[in-house]
Amino acid sequence: DLHSFPTRRSSDLPTGQIARKISESREHEVVGWDIDEALIRKLEKNQIIGVRSRTELISQFKNEVVVLWLMLPATVVNEEIGAWIKILPKDSIIIDGGNSNFRNTQKNNKRILRAGMKFIDIGVSGGIWGYERGFAMTCGTDEKEAYEKIKPILDILAKPNGKHALVGRSGAGHYAKMVHNAIEYGMMQSLAEGYHLLHEHTFGENGIDLVATTNVWRHESVINSWLNDLASDIIAENPDLENIDGYVSENNEARWALEAGKAQNIAMPAIQSALDIRIRSQKGEVSYATKLLATLRFKFGGHNLNGDKRE
């Protein structure tokens, strides 16, 4: 059996979900380590072997190929990979499932290969709903046999409605996820602006019934989507988005996509505008639209709802 062990420097929800989903399949054992002791205890409640150090983690493996799944903020990926490649056995497989810059991923691939190990970058999409709905995973690697080796794990994570695919060489998985998230920025912004327009306009003394309108659009309209479903749920629960401050965080991926576009002379005005609006919201320029954006991020990703200035 393959053993996989997610690790992270925060108690971000998708990490625990990935570990739990693999463990609950009963096809693989999962060993989990994190600097957050509370997260380790949480993992242990879900039949995951919790450990308190890197060396203790490796000691759990006997004759199996070590598969190390990292879920890390981009700022600490290099440091963490550096620590692991010093102690992992040769031929181990390292997976970076976080939102890393694809250029940095390609650099890490080179040093991991030099250390005698294999590296796979995976763009993981699905947010906090991936445990239930299945994760969508774009994979990149220069070692196709490593991807083939971890397919059983990816198959579990994709159930019931997700999917995974090897989309290219090293860096391609993270590049695809970068573009995915940049598109997400534009789609969310479009929905937020449209619902803002609906919210503000009146016909005589009455406004548009926003709940009824969004509910209609959920049923076979051209703009129907999971994001639209989430927006409809949000508006049904809190039509005026009361007690939402409208601060919208961003995680650098749209910035990286814009940099990639500039390098290739590709204009991306919609994504640029969406990023600019998020930045302005962080300076106090908020509206119904930015409140909806912040709430959408909470609904699909579990991000802090009001003013998460740490991202």
Side-chain angles (χ1 to χ4, degrees), residues 67-309:
V67 179
L68 172 68
W69 189 307
L70 301 167
M71 292 294 285
L72 299 162
T75 52
V76 299
V77 166
N78 292 348
E79 173 192 345
E80 195 69 17
I81 287 176
W84 280 107
I85 61 177
K86 292 177 182 177
I87 60 174
L88 282 171
K90 301 294 183 185
D91 296 322
S92 295
I93 298 172
I94 300 176
I95 300 168
D96 180 1
N99 290 331
S100 294
N101 188 317
F102 74 96
R103 297 183 183 88
N104 193 55
T105 295
Q106 290 173 315
K107 293 177 182 176
N108 279 326
N109 178 59
K110 291 178 180 177
R111 65 172 176 154
I112 289 169
L113 292 180
R114 284 197 300 268
M117 301 164 196
K118 299 175 177 64
F119 186 45
I120 306 172
D121 54 281
I122 302 182
V124 181
S125 181
I128 59 175
W129 295 76
Y131 172 80
E132 177 183 339
R133 296 162 59 108
F135 293 97
M137 297 162 284
T138 51
C139 307
T141 185
D142 289 343
E143 305 287 335
K144 188 176 180 181
E145 66 273 19
Y147 171 73
E148 296 294 331
K149 184 78 173 175
I150 68 162
K151 266 187 176 181
I153 293 172
L154 302 182
D155 289 342
I156 291 165
L157 293 175
K159 293 177 181 179
N161 299 314
K163 195 171 181 63
H164 63 87
L166 179 61
V167 300
R169 299 287 297 273
S170 178
H174 282 157
Y175 187 90
K177 179 66 189 316
M178 174 192 75
V179 175
H180 169 282
N181 283 16
I183 292 169
E184 181 184 289
Y185 273 47
M187 290 175 67
M188 289 173 64
Q189 186 62 39
S190 229
L191 286 170
E193 289 176 10
Y195 289 133
H196 189 186
L197 194 62
L198 287 172
H199 181 265
E200 298 302 320
H201 199 83
T202 59
F203 289 86
E205 296 180 357
N206 299 316
I208 290 176
D209 188 331
L210 213 58
V211 175
T213 303
T214 61
N215 191 42
V216 167
W217 287 349
R218 295 178 78 156
H219 295 84
E220 305 304 330
S221 81
V222 173
I223 68 165
N224 189 40
S225 62
W226 184 37
L227 282 173
N228 185 63
D229 284 345
L230 292 174
S232 182
D233 289 341
I234 289 164
I235 291 166
E237 294 166 7
N238 186 4
D240 296 323
L241 302 179
E242 295 176 354
N243 302 315
I244 308 297
D245 68 14
Y247 178 108
V248 191
S249 299
E250 47 97 11
N251 61 5
N252 290 321
E253 292 217 296
R255 293 174 185 263
W256 299 337
L258 289 164
E259 290 170 3
K262 185 176 181 180
Q264 298 172 73
N265 200 29
I266 298 172
M268 296 189 291
I271 294 167
Q272 180 69 66
S273 176
L275 175 61
D276 291 343
I277 287 166
R278 291 189 181 207
I279 293 170
R280 290 201 296 270
S281 80
Q282 296 164 19
K283 298 176 181 178
E285 192 173 321
V286 299
S287 65
Y288 185 89
T290 65
K291 291 180 180 183
L292 183 54
L293 286 173
T295 314
L296 278 169
R297 295 182 79 248
F298 171 74
K299 280 289 187 181
F300 70 71
H303 305 283
N304 284 357
L305 188 55
N306 283 322
D308 188 353
K309 301 169 179 60

Side-chain angles (χ1 to χ4, degrees), residues 25-72:
S25 73
R26 301 188 182 279
E27 296 177 27
H28 312 283
E29 283 188 280
V30 179
V31 185
W33 174 71
D34 191 275
I35 61 171
D36 183 349
E37 175 68 25
L39 179 57
I40 296 175
R41 290 196 298 271
K42 177 182 174 183
L43 294 175
E44 288 175 327
K45 291 179 182 178
N46 290 292
Q47 289 73 55
I48 292 160
I49 303 167
V51 296
R52 272 65 184 173
S53 69
R54 296 184 184 90
T55 53
E56 183 186 354
L57 188 149
I58 293 173
S59 72
Q60 298 293 320
F61 291 78
K62 307 307 177 186
N63 298 317
E64 303 91 351
V65 172
V66 178
V67 179
L68 172 68
W69 189 307
L70 301 167
M71 292 294 285
L72 299 162

